[in-house]
Amino acid sequence: MRRRGKSRTDFVRDLAIIGSGRHWLAVALALSLLALLPFVLRWTHNLNWLTFLNFTLLTVIAVLGLNITTGMAGQLSLGHAAFVLAGGYALGVFTVKLGWPFWGALPVATLLSGIAGFLVGIPALRLRGFYVAVTTLAFFYIIQFVVRNIEITGGIHGLIGIPYPYVGGLAIKSDIRWYFLLLVFCVLCILASVNLTRSRLGRAFLAIRDNEDAAANLGISVGLAKLRAFFIGALFGGLAGALWASYVSVVKLDQFTIWDSIWYLGMMVIGGAGSTAGTVLGVIALRLTSQVLHSIGSSGLIPLSSNLTIYMTYAIFGIAIILFISFRPFGLIAMWQKLKANYKRWPFGT
Amino acid sequence: MDQPADIILAIENLSLGFRGLKALDGVGLSARKGETISVIGPNGAGKTCLINCITGYYRPREGCILYRGRNIIGMKPHQIARLGIGRTFQDPTTFPHMKGLDILMAGRYLHTRTSLLEGLLFFGRSRAEELASRQRVEEIVAFARIEEVRKVPVLAMTYGQRKQVEIARVMAMGPGLVLLDEPMSGLDEFMKEVVNELILDMRQRNITIILIEHDMRAVMELSDRVVVLDHGKKIAEGTPTEIMRDEQVAEAYLGGLSYEREAA
Ligand SMILES: Nc1ncnc2c1ncn2[C@@H]1O[C@H](COP(=O)(O)OP(=O)(O)O)[C@@H](O)[C@H]1O
Ligand SMILES: [Mg+2]
């Protein structure tokens, strides 16, 4: 083939997640800051924020999964919390009822949740859009019903006394140790999510999201790819649930509600559906805002009952999500990228 | 069926109906390896329906479609794609939110084998396959002159760029049979020339092409044979020069309708 235009030969660099020296520096800096954060919190007597951080890390893992199923592959899931629930309960049953060690139970619980995702995908194969969402919603209630009514999951009381993990003889018991363990898992999940976007399967997901019919002409078996999207998404969700169960040492049904599913969707949409960085950003932004509003509400700074402020928070987020879907469908991350591009052109453009 | 060995595509007596409407009515067509067959006809003649039948999107009521001697009617679109049949779509906004590079890389889907786990962990075949795909894709990017849209989503591309990317995607698939649905409609002279060269390149590489096109100059230049459809029926077939002289064709197609206006 003759070459006419400019061709690129330096694309090996494109393959790297961290492309340039400056990029490396930024990542190293961010990681060191994250590693220092708990110590800063301790010195400043703000250790209660550590709990907030740990739940944020867990939520990032869960929403990264939803971003694969819904953001990348376009299969709207309203039942993502069901996979978190499944992972949590599976870990609970394996460790408490069957006496498995944590590190044996974790991968199996995660995998089981993935398989649950795969199964939910099957009825969704013949459906599109909204109807897929209804299926996932139904699945959420089914799994909740099952967990409530069988004995091994402890019924409405749930399971207590879920063991904490040991890492190299070190008991992961305190918030600070959990922070580092969750941080490692979170970074690994981010890497996996980015890897997906530079693989054939990730691009197959994007193609299916954009145009199922045309994707088939690329040779993609659309049905199988959708099942894989549900499977991977549920794996992430299950992992988050299993870690969560061990972190709080209990599983109960009210830990995983349909509202969590909606929250996950909102975080993904506000951050930027389909983008790994956007998803992380969305989780942080929403959790941080909600925490701040919460503190204001309970501090008595404004003359409203704290219940009322909670409901107002919900209302504000509901409106924010609707506004984002209508006017900024690619979320915060797209706004940030645009800002960055404009900054590069400065002062020549806006 | 007795056919010369190098017949790649043989369509016989193909009929397709939508309730009362006969979109295709006993259409026959055959293509040898490396041939370019143009299909022309006024709007609504059934040209796109023909492509949809070959690629498994529509199920014909009657007839058979043999690709390399094998009947492909009833196969699913992705199975047909796996046999090496690629197509473009008339509306080039096929993957609205995907970026140029991602679309072409997705075009390499059938040439890669990376498993789910390898993909998630980026080990095993992933890296080598990514690089090999990218190598091929970069050649096509340069040849099709779509460097500017590597990182641009389709919705932010011009109409012409979308058409280019659509053809480049099919080239990236490396198919044996390519079906092009009006690749030049809506393009200016310069862009038509670019697309023309892309098609010529595929021709030179012995890819069999079914070309649906209204631009008669391109049809004359590119095709070995021309098939004319009207109201779902094949009304003429011959070399480009024969077709230009055919009176029935002039009547049905070149005469009354202004086909240039059709542009997108
Ligand atoms: N999915 C469909 N449902 C009903 N009618 C259709 C469908 N697809 C095509 N047709 C009809 O079939 C006829 C041929 O259409 P088409 O093949 O798209 O024409 P063209 O030659 O312009 O590509 C038209 O009358 C069109 O309205
Ligand atoms: Mg058409």
Side-chain angles (χ1 to χ4, degrees), chain A residues 33 177 289:
Chain A
L33 281 178
R177 287 183 184 171
T289 325

Side-chain angles (χ1 to χ4, degrees), chain B residues 98-205:
Chain B
M98 284 178 80
K99 293 169 182 168
L101 206 52
D102 280 333
I103 292 176
L104 266 59
M105 291 294 279
R108 298 298 293 170
Y109 186 81
L110 289 178
H111 298 269
T112 47
R113 290 281 165 273
T114 304
S115 68
L116 186 155
L117 199 64
E118 287 171 319
L120 279 174
L121 303 180
F122 202 65
F123 81 107
R125 287 169 285 198
S126 334
R127 189 187 157 83
E129 283 191 349
E130 276 292 293
L131 286 177
S133 295
R134 185 69 191 272
Q135 176 86 46
R136 177 78 191 110
V137 162
E138 280 299 328
E139 280 169 25
I140 295 169
V141 164
F143 187 72
R145 295 191 206 165
I146 46 175
E147 299 88 349
E148 311 82 47
V149 296
R150 278 195 189 94
K151 303 263 161 84
V152 177
V154 169
L155 282 177
M157 295 180 194
T158 65
Y159 187 79
Q161 287 170 333
R162 295 178 197 189
K163 286 266 182 194
Q164 278 172 291
V165 168
E166 189 64 1
I167 297 176
R169 172 177 68 76
V170 178
M171 293 175 88
M173 289 169 65
L177 172 66
V178 166
L179 314 164
L180 301 170
D181 199 346
E182 304 196 15
M184 297 184 191
S185 70
L187 299 184
D188 61 27
E189 287 307 316
F190 175 75
M191 288 299 296
K192 276 183 183 173
E193 193 48 47
V194 173
V195 169
N196 201 57
E197 278 193 44
L198 293 180
I199 299 173
L200 270 177
D201 176 73
M202 287 196 268
R203 227 181 108 97
Q204 275 160 12
R205 281 185 295 132

Side-chain angles (χ1 to χ4, degrees), chain A residues 59 63 66 77-82 84-85 137 140-141 144 244 253-268 286 310-311 313-315 317-318 321:
Chain A
T59 314
V63 183
L66 178 69
S77 172
L78 287 174
H80 194 65
V84 184
L85 184 156
L137 191 64
F140 177 84
Y141 286 110
Q144 213 181 36
W244 185 347
L253 274 174
D254 58 12
Q255 246 165 289
F256 317 97
T257 67
I258 192 66
W259 293 111
D260 291 307
S261 286
I262 312 281
W263 273 103
Y264 295 157
L265 270 176
M267 291 171 181
M268 182 193 79
L286 242 71
I310 290 174
Y311 288 124
T313 315
Y314 285 164
F317 284 139
I321 290 170

Side-chain angles (χ1 to χ4, degrees), chain B residues 47-48 90 181-182:
Chain B
K47 306 181 297 294
T48 300
Q90 195 171 343
D181 199 346
E182 304 196 15

Side-chain angles (χ1 to χ4, degrees), chain A residues 37-109:
Chain A
L37 196 55
F39 302 107
V40 174
L41 291 176
R42 186 148 71 186
W43 291 325
T44 55
H45 303 285
N46 275 315
L47 267 184
N48 50 332
W49 275 88
L50 218 47
T51 319
F52 167 81
L53 285 178
N54 286 344
F55 278 116
T56 304
L57 290 169
L58 286 168
T59 314
V60 167
I61 296 174
V63 183
L64 281 174
L66 178 69
N67 183 50
I68 291 166
T69 312
T70 302
M72 294 187 195
Q75 305 306 301
L76 184 54
S77 172
L78 287 174
H80 194 65
F83 304 126
V84 184
L85 184 156
Y89 267 93
L91 186 95
V93 169
F94 291 146
T95 53
V96 175
K97 295 274 175 164
L98 306 179
W100 292 17
F102 174 88
W103 290 112
L106 185 73
V108 181

